[in-house]
Amino acid sequence: MKALLLINPASGREKVDKIVEVAKRRFLEKEYHLDIYFSKCAGDLTEKARLWADQYDTYITCGGDGTINEVVNGVMQSEVRPSIAVIPIGTVNDVAHILGFSHNLEKNFDIIFNTEPLPTDINKINDHYFVYVAGAGYLTEVSYKADRQEKKKYGPLAYLKTGIQGLSKKPFFKAMVQCNDEIYVRNVSLLLVLSADRFGGFRLPFFSKKNKLNDGLVDIRIFEGRDVTLLIKLAMFILLLGRKQYKQFHFTTGKATITPLNNNHVKWNADGELVTKGKIELEVIPKAIKFYVNPKRAKKLY
Ligand SMILES: [Mg+2]
């Protein structure tokens, strides 16, 4: 194995030092090659992940969901694609949870050394790649609005707090959704695209009945309604672990075009970052990158 540890140093010095120490020791024991790179600025890891893709067979990302997203966007721009492993640092770490990586460093390296990486779908919104979530409307603007300090202090609750504060501003649009040879027009308070069973730190095992991380499909759910109605629907969504509620619009697809009809400024969020505005083309790219996965999670999601 020839691996590159791609680190987001903004994640916290102490934790980063510990990870570097354990990584070096575990790679030395195996006599595998390990290089280490610290991100210099936002977007740097996308550039480097693309540039060095033919020099490594494995990238180990060290940071939160945003760090993984940066690396994935770089790897997708390359013909040769290293496998990706995920060491979580930071607050929410949805992708690490989805793949079964925890804060137990030794166990994470056991997975990297003792399992084969699994071909995994990557999703695309216009020209931006994402791993596990995209959306527009209420709540999706939250993750980049949630204050850094509050995220550190309250974890997922910071998102909820910012979400409740933003309720009166009610982002809302009429959308035309074209997918599976059908056209639907819906009023959207929140449109959520998920490839797995987790979002914003909340476990949603019943969001999709059959969706896997290697089936070329994602699930799309539209929440309608405003104010208290919307808040109740979202609370139920979390309490019912993602189950579809009465008359809710939900579909499974590998490709969709979504056109906001009455608002060109609808902002789209992917993996927690604002990526584009207005009309989108959504596409699943089947089995695009190999990811290391905890065997327990692999059984459920592959
Ligand atoms: Mg899928």
Side-chain angles (χ1 to χ4, degrees), residues 243-262:
R243 281 183 183 85
K244 182 172 162 305
Q245 294 161 54
Y246 182 60
K247 279 190 171 173
Q248 230 167 24
F249 189 69
H250 184 111
F251 50 90
T252 305
T253 186
K255 207 173 164 73
T257 302
I258 302 170
T259 315
L261 296 176
N262 56 351

Side-chain angles (χ1 to χ4, degrees), residues 121 123 194-196 211-219 284:
D121 299 344
N123 315 293
L194 290 189
S195 68
N211 194 0
K212 306 282 182 191
L213 284 171
N214 57 355
D215 61 359
L217 301 167
V218 289
D219 280 75
V284 182

